[in-house]
């Protein structure tokens, strides 16, 4: 989840345009913010380039949720330093959560960074660039008060394909003990429902077929806007938008995942059959120390409810191992929950203290080697279950939305025909398949596909029928 997402290469550069190269780490919210950065700069005549050597501005959109985020961005930028030496006019910037967290301190510490801006300051980018035109350096990290926050409208023309993210809220009010998000992204602010609907309509009109709604805790959507619809009502309203084929959302908090939300699966045909519901631990005592607001039994009851509503749903989750004070018995409770829940897939992380959070006041007392051992044991259990869950796809017919050339063959040799294409099932699994029509015609179309082979995390199949063009 923390690998940089590829930048879209815009071939439409002409020499008069200035070029920006954006490197994105972290969650979908950062991917979304990077599109907004390209959009704001596009309005000023900038174009995006996939080649940092061509760029006048290199931006690293950073993530501070785990690991050693500062080292990661400094490593990335220092590798690009020769570009600055070759072209002294090139500016380096850091944005995203690390920028928000460290602000001016990044400029003080790292001489080759020219600009730093937080997630609430994307709209200020033209002013920041004007201020740093002549070699001056600038940091802007003010977080807007919820009442002042204004979302940037999504522009379908900067979306890279038939799928798009759409932010419906920013920030988070939950303050889980380990999590830095409420500090770097601020308090929860929901976007007005009418605006969300207008944006979905404009994405669909621009050719987008699948929309993923984004927020740190989408289930709490609307709670900060009295009179606005809540999340299940928002889903119903979006489901009525003509032309939208698939709707997804991330991320959900189990304590806010109410029955109406869970029952939407199965009830709203547009809602694709996958749900990411982070549990973090299977131990009630760890969950209490994490301040998650539910027990393991309540979590499992949420899973049972959504499976009753939609039996084939693909369920994924997040775990943190080695939270302060985690005992062997508490970790065993996590393993038991994994056996019971039978997730389709899982992301799991070693706990790392984040400055300023509640948990960081407690000693990080689980030794690194034990965290690594627990992570490996947890992943081994899930790997076995994933293989069992994946087996059900063999021989099945799936609806696949074709996104483009397959990753394996995309870069294969200049001028060579790319024969493999890639798409996703409604359960959000990647399918690679031979291209029986030119990929540019296939892109953005739905196909009925027979699954011929099940791999560890992806499928292979053959097109049985195309939807009418
Ligand atoms: N240490 C380890 N993992 C973390 N996550 C969030 N904060 C931390 C932390 N301090 C994980 C959680 C969350 C996912 C996005 O990142 O599992 O769901
Ligand atoms: Fe962090 Fe908890 Fe908010 Fe998720 S719900 S962003 S884990 S504070």
């Amino acid at each position: 989840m923390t690998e940089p997402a590829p930048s879209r290469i815009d071939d439409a550069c002409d020499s008069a345009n200035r070029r920006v190269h954006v490197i994105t780490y972290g969650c979908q919210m950062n991917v979304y913010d990077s599109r907004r950065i390209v959009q704001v700069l596009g309005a000023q005549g900038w174009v995006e380039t996939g080649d940092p050597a061509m760029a006048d501005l290199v931006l690293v959109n950073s993530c501070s949720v785990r690991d050693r985020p500062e080292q990661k961005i400094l490593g990335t930028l220092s590798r690009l330093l020769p570009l600055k030496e070759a072209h002294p006019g090139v500016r380096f910037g850091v944005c995203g959560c690390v920028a928000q967290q460290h602000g001016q301190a990044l400029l003080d510490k790292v001489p080759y960074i020219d600009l730093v801006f937080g997630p609430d300051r994307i709209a200020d980018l033209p002013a920041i660039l004007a201020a740093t035109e002549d070699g001056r350096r600038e940091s802007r990290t003010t977080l807007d008060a919820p009442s002042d926050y204004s979302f940037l409208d999504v522009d379908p023309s900067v979306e890279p394909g038939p799928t798009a993210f759409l932010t419906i809220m920013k920030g988070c009010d939950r303050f889980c003990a380990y999590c830095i998000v409420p500090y770097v992204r601020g308090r929860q602010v929901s976007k007005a429902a009418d605006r969300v609907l207008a944006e979905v309509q404009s994405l669909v009109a621009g050719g987008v077929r699948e929309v993923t709604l984004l927020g740190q805790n989408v289930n709490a959507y609307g709670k900060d806007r009295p009179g606005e619809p809540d999340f299940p009502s928002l889903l119903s309203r979006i489901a009525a938008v003509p032309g939208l084929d698939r709707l997804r959302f991330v991320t959900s908090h189990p304590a806010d995942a109410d029955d109406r939300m869970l029952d939407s699966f199965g009830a709203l045909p547009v809602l694709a059959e996958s749900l990411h519901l982070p549990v973090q631990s299977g131990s009630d005592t760890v969950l209490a120390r994490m301040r998650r607001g539910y027990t393991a039994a309540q979590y499992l009851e949420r899973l049972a409810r959504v499976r009753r509503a939609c039996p084939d749903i693909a369920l994924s989750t997040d775990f943190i191992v080695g939270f302060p004070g985690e005992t062997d018995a508490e970790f065993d409770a996590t393993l038991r929950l994994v056996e019971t829940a039978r997730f389709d897939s899982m992301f799991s992380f070693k706990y790392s203290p984040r400055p300023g959070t509640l948990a960081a006041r407690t000693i990080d007392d689980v030794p690194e080697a034990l965290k690594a051992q627990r992570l490996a044991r947890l992943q081994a259990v899930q790997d076995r279950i994933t293989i069992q869950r994946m087996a059900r796809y063999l021989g099945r017919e799936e609806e696949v939305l074709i996104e483009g050339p397959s990753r394996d063959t995309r870069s294969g040799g200049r001028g060579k025909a790319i024969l493999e294409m890639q798409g996703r099932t409604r359960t959000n699994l990647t399918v690679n398949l031979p291209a029986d029509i030119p990929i540019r015609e296939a892109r953005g179309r739905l196909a009925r596909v027979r699954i011929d082979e099940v791999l560890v995390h992806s499928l292979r199949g053959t097109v049985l029928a195309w939807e009418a063009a």
Side-chain angles (χ1 to χ4, degrees):
M1 272 175 113
T2 52
E3 286 312 300
S7 261
R8 189 173 63 114
I9 300 172
D10 198 328
D11 299 326
C13 285
D14 77 41
S15 54
N17 290 117
R18 290 196 291 175
R19 298 179 173 101
V20 58
H21 178 71
V22 189
I23 300 165
T24 309
Y25 290 101
C27 65
Q28 292 94 336
M29 195 67 83
N30 266 13
V31 174
Y32 183 82
D33 284 350
S34 290
R35 301 322 309 154
R36 304 289 74 76
I37 287 169
V38 169
Q39 187 176 313
V40 165
L41 289 177
Q44 307 282 314
W46 287 71
V47 289
E48 188 180 16
T49 174
D51 179 1
M54 299 291 287
D56 302 286
L57 173 65
V58 175
L59 291 177
V60 179
N61 196 355
S62 60
C63 170
S64 57
V65 166
R66 292 179 298 270
D67 304 328
R68 300 195 201 169
E70 300 88 32
Q71 278 88 329
K72 200 174 278 180
I73 52 165
L74 297 185
T76 302
L77 283 178
S78 63
R79 275 193 298 281
L80 295 175
L81 256 185
L83 299 178
K84 253 197 148 178
E85 282 147 18
H87 308 283
V90 176
R91 280 175 279 179
F92 281 5
V94 178
C95 52
C97 298
V98 176
Q100 183 62 39
Q101 199 186 344
H102 296 296
Q104 180 66 35
L106 270 177
L107 292 185
D108 296 342
K109 198 168 120 188
V110 191
Y112 54 81
I113 297 178
D114 303 285
L115 48 125
V116 172
F117 59 98
D120 280 5
R121 301 269 61 88
I122 293 175
D124 295 359
L125 198 44
I128 298 170
L129 287 173
T132 55
E133 198 79 60
D134 58 359
R136 270 179 299 165
R137 303 161 78 221
E138 171 124 353
S139 163
R140 289 199 194 186
T141 54
T142 316
L143 276 177
D144 287 332
S147 54
D148 288 344
Y149 188 78
S150 72
F151 291 94
L152 289 163
D153 276 324
V154 66
D155 172 356
S157 70
V158 301
E159 298 308 322
T163 63
F165 292 134
L166 178 60
T167 203
I168 60 166
M169 64 196 303
K170 78 126 202 168
C172 182
D173 288 349
R174 275 250 159 217
F175 289 90
C176 300
Y178 51 81
C179 186
I180 200 164
V181 165
Y183 304 93
V184 290
R185 293 274 176 170
R187 305 304 297 262
Q188 170 174 325
V189 184
S190 300
K191 198 185 259 181
D194 285 347
R195 196 155 157 204
V196 173
L197 280 160
E199 287 181 299
V200 172
Q201 281 158 356
S202 98
L203 286 170
V204 169
V208 167
R209 306 195 64 169
E210 173 182 308
V211 171
T212 302
L213 308 176
L214 294 184
Q216 303 297 345
N217 174 14
V218 289
N219 307 133
Y221 170 84
K223 290 189 176 170
D224 55 300
R225 284 183 91 97
E228 286 283 321
D230 62 5
F231 187 60
S233 307
L234 181 75
L235 288 179
S236 307
R237 287 179 64 180
I238 296 174
V241 172
L244 180 66
D245 292 284
R246 292 177 174 185
L247 180 61
R248 305 185 190 279
F249 54 84
V250 277
T251 273
S252 294
H253 190 296
D256 291 314
D258 61 13
D259 289 351
R260 282 170 56 234
M261 186 286 263
L262 297 170
D263 293 348
S264 304
F265 289 95
L268 301 176
V270 77
L271 202 53
E273 292 80 13
S274 74
L275 174 65
H276 184 62
L277 197 62
V279 62
Q280 312 299 358
S281 171
S283 153
D284 289 346
T285 39
V286 172
L287 288 169
R289 296 206 295 282
M290 288 177 166
R291 311 234 158 171
R292 289 290 285 176
Y294 54 86
T295 62
Q298 286 167 334
Y299 178 84
L300 289 170
E301 190 280 316
R302 302 284 76 202
L303 290 197
R305 176 106 194 182
V306 74
R307 280 185 167 133
R308 277 198 299 277
C310 182
D312 194 45
I313 195 162
L315 295 171
S316 58
T317 198
D318 292 344
F319 280 101
I320 298 175
V321 300
F323 188 74
E326 187 186 63
T327 62
D328 285 342
E330 287 172 333
F331 177 65
D332 286 346
T334 286
L335 294 180
R336 280 200 301 278
L337 184 133
V338 174
E339 295 281 6
T340 311
R342 298 188 58 75
F343 297 108
D344 291 78
S345 60
M346 171 187 91
F347 299 92
S348 50
F349 311 101
K350 290 184 280 183
Y351 169 72
S352 67
R354 301 289 86 199
T357 59
L358 187 67
R361 293 188 215 154
T362 312
I363 296 173
D364 178 19
D365 57 355
V366 179
E368 193 54 31
L370 186 55
K371 283 183 189 165
Q373 197 191 80
R374 286 181 181 166
L375 192 71
R377 284 180 66 198
L378 177 60
Q379 286 173 346
V381 173
Q382 181 57 43
D383 285 351
R384 171 171 50 76
I385 295 168
T386 296
I387 290 168
Q388 291 164 355
R389 294 282 298 155
M390 291 287 282
R392 74 189 194 280
Y393 288 97
L394 192 63
R396 249 167 64 158
E397 284 184 24
E398 291 288 317
E399 178 202 276
V400 175
L401 175 60
I402 304 298
E403 294 176 355
S406 147
R407 266 176 204 268
D408 307 336
T409 48
R410 213 188 300 255
S411 55
R414 268 167 213 278
K416 247 200 224 163
I418 295 172
L419 298 172
E420 286 270 298
M421 56 190 184
Q422 184 173 297
R424 274 175 190 274
T425 63
R426 290 180 58 93
T427 50
N428 215 10
L429 273 171
T430 298
V431 188
N432 288 298
L433 56 179
D436 61 343
I437 61 172
I439 291 178
R440 61 175 185 286
E441 282 172 36
R443 192 162 194 238
R445 281 174 72 188
L446 293 170
R448 283 235 60 82
V449 169
R450 190 192 56 234
I451 304 302
D452 302 321
E453 199 181 340
V454 172
L455 303 164
V456 186
H457 294 292
S458 67
L459 303 169
R460 289 194 57 79
T462 314
V463 174
L464 298 176
W466 287 100
E467 67 170 340

